[in-house]
Amino acid sequence: MILDMTIQEEPLIGVLERVLFFNEENNYCVGELRPEEGKQTVMVNGVFPGIQCGETLELSGNWEEHPKYGRQFKAKSVKATLPSSLYGIRKYLGSGLITGVGKVYAQKIVDTFGEDTLRIISEESARLLEVPGIGEGRAKSIKRAWDEQQGTRQVYLFLQTYSVTNNQCLRLVKAYGQEAQKVIETEPYRIAREIQGFGFRTADRIALNVGFSSHSPERLEGGLLFALETLQDEGHTCAKTDTLLAKAAELLEVEAHLLDEPLRVLLERKALLHCEADGTLQHPIFDFAERLIAEKLRKLASNGSTLPPIQAAKAIAWAQERSGFEFAPGQVAALQAALEQKLSILTGGPGTGKTTILRALVQILRAKQVRIILAAPTGRAAQRMAETTQHYAQTLHRLLKFDGQTLRFGLNESDPLKCDFLIVDESSMLDTRLAAALLRATPATAHVVFVGDVHQLPSVGPGQVLLDFIESDKFHVTRLDQIFRQDERSLIVTTAHKILEGIPFTPLCLDRVEQLDKRSDLQFIKALTPEDCLKCFTELFGQWIPKNLPQVKPTEDIQILAPMHRGTAGIGQLNIHMQKLLNPKKEGLNLGHTRFCVGDKVIQTKNNYDKGVFNGDLGHIEKVCTETATLGIRFCNEYLEFDRSELQDLQPAYAISIHKSQGSEFPIVVLPILKQHFIMLQRKLLYTAITRGRKKVFVIGDPAAWALAVKNQDSTTRVTGLLRVLRS
């Protein structure tokens, strides 16, 4: 016998008396409802788009017991109807719904028209002049506000029939107003191009639901652009024609030849551009960005310098004396190039002395009173840069005064950076659009040094800027490959270089956590199954580290980097496991299946330009308010408040992806690596993870999975147009 454990939803009908809380971003509402039968109001909560006090709500859901606020009705669905009783109508009009009508005028209007009030406002608004105190101007204002409110309600109802979420409804109404329904019915693919938060798949689903053919020109053209966006998400800034057609045909589930005519139309409209030199197709935005980068670099190379006279040899000797040791030939060459070349590139792996060069370069420039700007793509990279050079550094977005409202950078050719020397660290993370914005704002007289490690994972955004710069052979490049004597005993450094060389070297494997040596900086604990892996995590964090490294603060000093999100040893389960182990608090704020508590480490997963917090930034929760559903989080020494609408872009960060760790460095890194991660196991991923650890790296997993990753040199090459325009 199979028992049906499904909880049956209950109906609840009544008049909405009062709104206690309403979130305009997601339409989440907490209010008081007066049921049809009964005089006492009850608490209700749920997603109620476009509702007003006085309306009759038909709810479906279940009762639940809130630990603080008592019994509440949690609504899964809601249907709102205009009030029909005098009480409801009076409540409805007096709720502030209509500009110019407060409680006093609501009472007068209902006293005049009774239960026919709403019909008269809608159909015979001229009769409002019969109400004492209402003149022609106020009557027109009431009618206009009424029509707008009812129009918005109809749009919401219409959109929800096509599975459009409440947040999406809100964006559509804000963007198109009363025209939203018309746009959906006649130009549904337009919303994917014009409104953030709408992708092609959502627009496509709506379009097919409202009757568009799967072979309609609008769908095929939109599908081609969507296919190009998909390739851009994979890091490419352009695509071969055959590649794009095949990708679009697969996504649209149509035959490729049907896309020939839509492609011709897009090219004619210049929505896509074709390059005859290499047969690639490109979005105009990336064509513009790559050409701008090449143009600005040429101007940098051809313009004069504003630096005071610097004798490089003497300056380097002075910096060596201050450092207390002699620089290696490669380091001297890098410093000389930075001082003498308008644009130079410094690349090298861990332990090759990039930090020493940056520190010495900044010392020399400061001694000469040169205006220096230090910047990096991420907050953590900028913070580390500032610590090592003892000079202020900032993120590129902050440096360029990015405006989250307009999605534009404040600095450009008209208002450029005020500097003589610009140093950009972690340049392997530069994507095409960010590089274009940076060079656009860089004065042509400035010296520029790009510092980075091309062997790390490429930028999250489209492009491979640093690699294209180097391969163009147009700029002075210093490659550091010597591991310095003070680091020769570092297994982190030597292992990282063996990974790059593809040498299947596995650090000494230990069978148990208690065999770890606290003096070693890289150690491998064998765990062949996900369950064994979690057990090792418990022993490492719960016993070995507190006993052998008592000065270590796990949530501040240790970062788990995992190759995948799913699975027992994936990021999701590791975060749940580590939260219970390191921060087992019962009180917290629940958001879906995620609980946020004071002391938790969190990561921002999308750029929040209003807060100045970006994708990949790490923070710690210092305050949780369950009443207002807000969190107080400290990011890079700055305390910020996040409301409920912003929490969806936050995730626990005891474990994060290796991709998200780019540009960061942690005192201790713990890396799970198992055969179950095989899809993600590749050389660059492993190299990036290992080099994030500054003092210690603990690898927990299967030696065979490690060997698999070392052997797997990812052959995926990003297709860009930058190298072509740099060489042209």
Side-chain angles (χ1 to χ4, degrees):
M1 178 180 176
I2 299 175
L3 296 176
D4 183 4
M5 302 299 290
T6 305
I7 300 175
Q8 295 295 320
E9 293 182 4
E10 303 177 41
L12 178 64
I13 301 174
V15 174
L16 184 65
E17 286 281 311
R18 192 155 64 108
V19 173
L20 302 173
F21 172 79
F22 188 78
N23 186 325
E24 292 186 0
E25 288 296 319
N26 57 15
N27 293 306
Y28 177 78
C29 176
V30 179
E32 291 182 358
L33 187 87
R34 186 182 299 277
E36 283 184 325
E37 298 177 3
K39 296 182 179 180
Q40 291 281 38
T41 59
V42 297
M43 294 278 284
V44 295
N45 67 77
V47 176
F48 303 158
I51 53 93
Q52 299 293 336
C53 290
E55 289 184 318
T56 298
L57 303 185
E58 297 179 20
L59 307 178
S60 177
N62 299 101
W63 292 96
E64 60 179 23
E65 193 69 29
H66 191 280
K68 188 169 184 178
Y69 301 107
R71 195 164 184 253
Q72 295 186 5
F73 189 84
K74 185 178 182 63
K76 301 291 178 62
S77 64
V78 58
K79 180 182 176 183
T81 57
L82 293 176
S84 55
S85 68
L86 291 178
Y87 173 80
I89 295 170
R90 191 181 302 115
K91 191 85 176 174
Y92 185 64
L93 290 180
S95 66
L97 163 75
I98 300 173
T99 305
V101 178
K103 291 182 179 179
V104 174
Y105 274 106
Q107 180 71 50
K108 289 181 178 181
I109 293 170
V110 174
D111 286 348
T112 304
F113 302 119
E115 294 180 356
D116 213 19
T117 294
L118 301 184
R119 186 194 64 80
I120 286 173
I121 295 175
S122 181
E123 301 173 10
E124 303 177 50
S125 59
R127 289 188 59 190
L128 286 169
L129 297 173
E130 298 174 20
V131 179
I134 292 183
E136 195 170 320
R138 188 182 290 271
K140 287 181 179 178
S141 175
I142 292 171
K143 171 62 173 171
R144 184 166 55 250
W146 171 265
D147 287 344
E148 286 177 2
Q149 202 278 336
Q150 294 307 304
T152 301
R153 172 195 290 276
Q154 291 305 313
V155 169
Y156 272 119
L157 293 174
F158 168 79
L159 293 174
Q160 286 179 328
T161 62
Y162 296 108
S163 302
V164 179
T165 68
N166 291 317
N167 277 335
Q168 290 172 332
C169 286
L170 199 65
R171 289 193 185 102
L172 282 167
V173 172
K174 282 183 177 179
Y176 302 124
Q178 303 307 306
E179 295 291 307
Q181 183 171 338
K182 181 182 176 183
V183 170
I184 288 290
E185 291 177 316
T186 61
E187 302 177 89
Y189 293 102
R190 177 180 161 191
I191 64 176
R193 299 192 304 269
E194 297 180 351
I195 302 182
Q196 191 177 9
F198 271 91
F200 173 80
R201 292 195 185 281
T202 303
D204 192 39
R205 186 183 69 243
I206 294 170
L208 294 175
N209 281 338
V210 298
F212 274 71
S213 163
S214 61
H215 291 169
S216 68
E218 296 90 346
R219 181 172 191 262
L220 299 180
E221 289 170 20
L224 280 163
L225 295 174
F226 175 57
L228 187 59
E229 286 176 18
T230 304
L231 291 168
Q232 288 164 6
D233 289 341
E234 295 172 10
H236 310 289
T237 65
C238 51
K240 296 286 186 182
T241 302
D242 290 347
T243 303
L244 181 62
L245 289 173
K247 188 79 169 178
E250 179 189 351
L251 292 169
L252 294 169
E253 298 181 346
V254 300
E255 295 178 14
H257 71 86
L258 294 173
L259 297 166
D260 292 340
E261 178 59 19
L263 177 58
R264 187 194 65 77
V265 172
L266 290 172
L267 289 169
E268 190 175 89
R269 217 166 61 213
K270 297 194 183 302
L272 282 178
L273 301 177
H274 180 257
C275 176
E276 293 184 4
D278 57 9
T280 56
L281 295 165
Q282 190 167 35
H283 193 284
I285 287 176
F286 286 101
D287 175 72
F288 174 80
E290 289 179 337
R291 291 183 186 281
L292 185 143
I293 289 170
E295 176 195 343
K296 294 298 178 184
L297 291 176
R298 290 188 192 106
K299 284 187 177 179
L300 271 172
S302 61
N303 270 266
S305 169
T306 55
L307 290 187
I310 299 176
Q311 295 183 25
K314 287 186 177 180
I316 294 168
W318 174 82
Q320 282 184 138
E321 188 178 340
R322 284 177 63 90
S323 299
F325 59 89
E326 187 176 342
F327 298 157
Q331 293 176 312
V332 172
L335 280 167
Q336 189 168 347
L339 294 170
E340 294 178 351
Q341 303 286 331
K342 284 294 298 300
L343 189 145
S344 62
I345 297 167
L346 173 61
T347 183
T352 55
K354 296 193 299 294
T355 299
T356 298
I357 295 168
L358 284 185
R359 189 184 300 117
L361 180 58
V362 169
Q363 287 174 346
I364 292 168
L365 296 173
R366 289 176 69 170
K368 290 289 184 177
Q369 297 185 330
V370 172
R371 294 179 300 169
I372 318 166
I373 288 179
L374 305 185
T378 67
R380 290 184 70 87
Q383 187 177 14
R384 192 176 73 250
M385 197 181 188
E387 289 168 357
T388 56
T389 62
Q390 298 298 302
H391 187 86
Y392 177 69
Q394 57 192 310
T395 65
L396 290 169
H397 279 83
R398 182 163 290 184
L399 171 67
L400 299 173
K401 298 181 180 177
F402 187 80
D403 186 333
Q405 298 297 319
T406 63
L407 301 182
R408 293 179 180 274
F409 292 97
L411 299 188
N412 49 40
E413 300 98 333
S414 303
D415 186 12
L417 294 167
K418 295 175 175 59
C419 71
D420 305 308
F421 211 109
L422 171 65
I423 304 173
V424 184
D425 200 6
E426 297 292 349
S427 296
S428 62
M429 297 181 67
L430 275 178
D431 63 54
T432 300
R433 282 178 287 193
L434 184 55
L438 174 64
L439 289 167
R440 193 174 197 172
T442 303
T445 54
H447 283 238
V448 181
V449 177
F450 290 106
V451 184
D453 183 354
V454 290
H455 297 298
Q456 285 189 37
L457 290 167
S459 61
V460 175
Q464 49 184 17
V465 173
L466 184 63
L467 185 59
D468 284 344
F469 283 178
I470 292 171
E471 293 192 347
S472 72
D473 293 325
K474 296 288 184 180
F475 315 106
H476 191 285
V477 179
T478 304
R479 293 176 173 85
L480 301 177
D481 51 19
Q482 179 185 350
I483 302 173
F484 292 104
R485 188 168 302 278
Q486 61 264 36
D487 289 324
E488 281 179 353
R489 292 184 182 178
S490 167
L491 271 177
I492 293 175
V493 173
T494 54
T495 303
H497 285 272
K498 287 182 184 297
I499 291 170
L500 284 185
E501 295 165 18
I503 298 173
F505 165 78
T506 306
L508 179 65
C509 285
L510 305 172
D511 293 320
R512 298 186 305 279
V513 170
E514 55 263 32
Q515 294 176 321
L516 290 169
D517 183 350
K518 66 180 180 180
R519 295 168 298 180
S520 180
D521 69 342
L522 191 150
Q523 297 176 84
F524 198 119
I525 309 160
K526 185 187 284 188
L528 302 183
T529 69
E531 292 72 23
D532 288 342
C533 189
L534 286 186
K535 183 182 176 185
C536 287
F537 269 90
T538 301
E539 292 173 359
L540 179 66
F541 282 87
Q543 301 165 29
W544 192 87
I545 288 175
K547 179 181 177 182
N548 295 279
L549 303 173
Q551 74 282 6
V552 168
K553 299 175 182 177
T555 58
E556 295 178 20
D557 300 331
I558 307 177
Q559 185 59 60
I560 300 169
L561 303 179
M564 291 182 68
H565 283 269
R566 289 178 290 183
T568 304
I571 292 166
Q573 288 301 314
L574 281 170
N575 273 316
I576 293 171
H577 185 79
M578 298 310 298
Q579 185 185 46
K580 289 178 181 176
L581 184 65
L582 299 178
N583 196 29
K585 294 189 171 109
K586 294 181 180 179
E587 289 296 320
L589 178 64
N590 291 324
L591 190 69
H593 297 294
T594 304
R595 176 185 281 279
F596 293 108
C597 303
V598 171
D600 279 342
K601 182 193 285 189
V602 292
I603 186 169
Q604 181 76 18
T605 60
K606 288 184 181 177
N607 291 343
N608 185 328
Y609 300 111
D610 294 331
K611 291 278 193 297
V613 180
F614 300 97
N615 185 1
D617 284 353
L618 295 170
H620 289 84
I621 299 176
E622 295 188 355
K623 175 183 161 189
V624 174
C625 183
T626 54
E627 292 182 23
T628 58
T630 58
L631 297 178
I633 306 173
R634 188 168 298 280
F635 282 95
C636 287
N637 299 320
E638 184 177 3
Y639 178 82
L640 300 167
E641 293 266 349
F642 289 75
D643 62 36
R644 190 180 186 92
S645 67
E646 297 169 310
L647 300 188
Q648 61 188 356
D649 297 333
L650 290 166
Q651 292 293 330
Y654 295 99
I656 63 173
S657 71
I658 298 169
H659 284 84
K660 295 283 189 189
S661 73
Q662 285 178 267
S664 298
E665 201 175 69
F666 310 97
I668 300 174
V669 161
V670 182
L671 172 66
I673 183 164
L674 298 162
K675 286 182 180 176
Q676 285 85 346
H677 301 145
F678 73 93
I679 295 175
M680 298 297 293
L681 295 182
Q682 52 186 253
R683 192 178 298 175
K684 275 193 175 182
L685 195 80
L686 188 57
Y687 173 80
T688 301
I690 293 297
T691 55
R692 299 308 89 206
R694 188 166 65 246
K695 295 180 180 178
K696 290 186 182 297
V697 174
F698 297 98
V699 183
I700 301 175
D702 189 340
W706 174 283
L708 181 66
V710 173
K711 290 176 186 175
N712 182 16
Q713 184 172 14
D714 183 24
S715 59
T716 304
T717 302
R718 293 190 171 189
V719 181
T720 74
L722 180 57
L723 192 58
R724 166 173 42 81
V725 294
L726 284 171
R727 287 175 171 173
S728 62

